[in-house]
Amino acid sequence: MPTGNAFINKPNLKLIELMKMKNIISWTAQIVAAIILLQTLWFKFTGAEESVYIFSKLGVEPYGRIGSGVIELIAGILLLTPRYNWLGALIGLGTMAGAVVSHLTVLGIDVLGDGGQLFGLAIITFVSCGVVLFLNWQKALYLVKNLTAQT
């Protein structure tokens, strides 16, 4: 009698390999986005000069700075939870869309001589959240189906 993977045929093995790759890519994107979102909280919550400048220029200092920090904290935590990573990605995607638009319309790409670093981090986070949402959309669909079935 065969043992181990002998019962798994080649098409199933390919599917298993594909699922492992999806999982690795998703976790990589989740961790990248969460690290960026969570490390910027220090600057937002301590009122760092750069953060105060950005949100003053946008006309929403201090409430916009602190509010976006709270939203990014929630997104960062959700990104690291397997069940709700899609929700963290959705929140992060929306938040970073606002950051990118703010850079392109009001702030400029280079803020206080940072060489576009903040803009680059916003783009990386936006793309990472997009990847996570794309790879985990079925979790959101499952939740919506369950919620609508109960009503």
Side-chain angles (χ1 to χ4, degrees):
M1 176 172 257
T3 59
N5 288 338
F7 287 112
I8 300 175
N9 60 27
K10 281 198 182 237
N12 286 343
L13 223 103
K14 294 271 188 202
L15 183 62
I16 290 169
E17 294 291 323
L18 189 62
M19 295 302 292
K20 283 181 183 176
M21 185 59 67
K22 174 191 172 246
N23 205 23
I24 290 168
I25 293 169
S26 182
W27 271 107
T28 301
Q30 288 167 236
I31 290 168
V32 166
I35 286 172
I36 293 171
L37 287 168
L38 297 173
Q39 71 93 34
T40 60
L41 296 178
W42 170 260
F43 301 101
K44 286 188 171 96
F45 290 151
T46 61
E49 175 189 350
E50 200 170 58
S51 285
V52 171
Y53 170 81
I54 289 168
F55 288 94
S56 294
K57 193 157 183 182
L58 294 172
V60 292
E61 171 63 28
Y63 302 109
R65 174 175 51 83
I66 294 168
S68 71
V70 169
I71 291 168
E72 290 174 17
L73 175 62
I74 292 167
I77 291 169
L78 289 173
L79 276 164
L80 297 175
T81 60
R83 187 172 185 175
Y84 296 109
N85 58 6
W86 64 271
L87 184 56
L90 185 64
I91 294 168
L93 202 59
T95 306
M96 290 303 107
V100 169
V101 169
S102 294
H103 276 278
L104 294 175
T105 59
V106 178
L107 300 170
I109 292 176
D110 187 318
V111 177
L112 295 177
D114 75 345
Q117 183 179 7
L118 287 176
F119 180 73
L121 290 172
I123 294 290
I124 291 168
T125 307
F126 182 85
V127 170
S128 296
C129 286
V131 168
V132 173
L133 191 57
F134 176 76
L135 294 175
N136 295 282
W137 63 269
Q138 73 282 359
K139 292 178 187 175
L141 191 61
Y142 178 77
L143 179 69
V144 170
K145 281 183 180 178
N146 282 341
L147 288 176
T148 55
Q150 294 175 2
T151 57

